Amino acid sequence: MTTSGAPKRPSFKRSSPGKKSRLRTRRVAAGGREGEAEAEAAGTSALARALLPASVGLDAVPPVGRALPRDFFEVDALDLAPRLLGKLLRRDEVVLRITEVEAYRPNDSACHGRFGITARTAPVFGPGGHAYVYLCYGLHMMLNVVADIEGVGAAVLIRSCSPVSGLETIQRRRGQQTEKPILLTGPGKVGQALGLSTDWSNHPLYAPGGLEVLDGPEPESILVGPRVGIEYASPEHVAAPWRFAIAGTPWISAPKNTLRPRY
């Protein structure tokens, strides 16, 4: 529940629509509807590979999976936060892979739940798996995934992502024609790339359509460290290692030097 940072910058390539079309045509001719479905899957996979930076590696490309069930989110925010790494956020043609998160819990002096239930914070106390979107500094739309059961007051901030599809839409919404991690490393950037407003608060992320959290492969290793920009909180909460990120990806916000291997 903080602001965004800025990091290192590898590059990635766009996909070729012509190549996808030729592939689909060959598959349809060979196998009818089954061939067309296989071609569509191959095209989606190729698009995801083209959009991810080469440094991430082809094995790391996540498939666009099913929407996660509601009970996936109904756990302590500290358990949910690392579980969200590698999962996918989808809105329209934009699909993002979650690469960095922060957990905010009950009785946490950095959590918005500390203010109690207000018009702004009511979604934090709602059912797990709903969105909590708030405006930070009058500029940044911050996306949080509500954790635990209704009434608890906990959430996970989506701090950084990497692009899987919809690059041109992401660039247009961000107002940046770049293919580097600065495009999505920071929670305000994620909210802008998804085109969010506070109207999305309380939206169920497990329901089809709109804004969804989809399944994706778990990362091989995870980094942990203290959360960012919460100097107003109590010392024990400032130091708490409740920030989580995928190890080995450049799509992480600053500061990176406070992150360490989880185990």
Side-chain angles (χ1 to χ4, degrees):
M1 302 182 180
T2 54
T3 56
S4 52
K8 295 182 184 178
R9 312 177 171 186
S11 60
F12 56 92
K13 302 176 182 178
R14 292 187 176 89
S15 62
S16 169
K19 183 176 181 181
K20 287 170 58 183
S21 177
R22 291 194 298 273
L23 175 61
R24 184 178 297 110
T25 301
R26 289 199 299 269
R27 293 289 179 87
V28 170
R33 291 183 180 178
E34 181 179 355
E36 184 175 13
E38 291 176 357
E40 186 68 29
T44 300
S45 178
L47 176 61
R49 285 186 171 88
L51 286 176
L52 285 171
S55 59
V56 173
L58 296 183
D59 291 341
V61 174
V64 177
R66 61 181 178 82
L68 294 165
R70 175 172 171 172
D71 60 9
F72 175 88
F73 307 95
E74 294 177 331
V75 296
D76 190 293
L78 264 183
D79 296 321
L80 179 60
R83 291 178 66 188
L84 283 171
L85 294 176
K87 305 308 182 190
L88 306 175
L89 288 166
R90 177 170 67 185
R91 185 189 171 204
D92 301 325
E93 71 275 18
V94 172
V95 179
L96 308 178
R97 187 187 188 201
I98 299 172
T99 55
E100 183 187 358
V101 295
E102 291 178 340
Y104 291 84
R105 308 178 73 213
N107 303 314
D108 173 4
S109 57
C111 181
H112 285 185
R114 71 188 186 276
F115 299 120
I117 299 177
T118 67
R120 181 197 195 197
T121 65
V124 179
F125 293 88
H130 284 223
Y132 169 47
V133 182
Y134 69 92
L135 182 63
C136 182
Y137 298 144
L139 297 172
H140 307 294
M141 290 293 169
M142 315 287 263
L143 172 62
N144 298 260
V145 177
V146 177
D148 224 308
I149 60 174
E150 189 168 4
V152 170
V156 175
L157 173 68
I158 307 301
R159 187 160 184 84
S160 294
C161 292
S162 62
V164 175
S165 67
L167 176 61
E168 291 185 359
T169 300
I170 294 168
Q171 291 174 328
R172 174 175 52 77
R173 287 173 174 166
R174 289 278 296 113
Q176 286 191 316
Q177 295 300 310
T178 181
E179 302 175 346
K180 299 177 181 179
I182 194 172
L183 190 66
L184 289 168
T185 49
K189 299 174 183 180
V190 172
Q192 191 175 25
L194 290 168
L196 299 183
S197 69
T198 55
D199 291 340
W200 286 96
S201 254
N202 214 30
H203 175 81
L205 299 169
Y206 47 80
L211 178 64
E212 301 171 84
V213 179
L214 308 177
D215 201 5
E218 295 181 9
E220 292 184 4
S221 55
I222 292 175
L223 303 175
V224 300
R227 295 169 293 180
V228 180
I230 58 166
E231 293 76 12
Y232 54 84
S234 63
E236 67 269 26
H237 292 146
V238 169
W242 294 354
R243 178 186 176 201
F244 303 86
I246 296 178
T249 178
W251 300 84
I252 301 174
S253 65
K256 297 183 180 182
N257 60 2
T258 60
L259 294 167
R260 298 289 183 269
R262 189 180 187 188
Y263 301 117

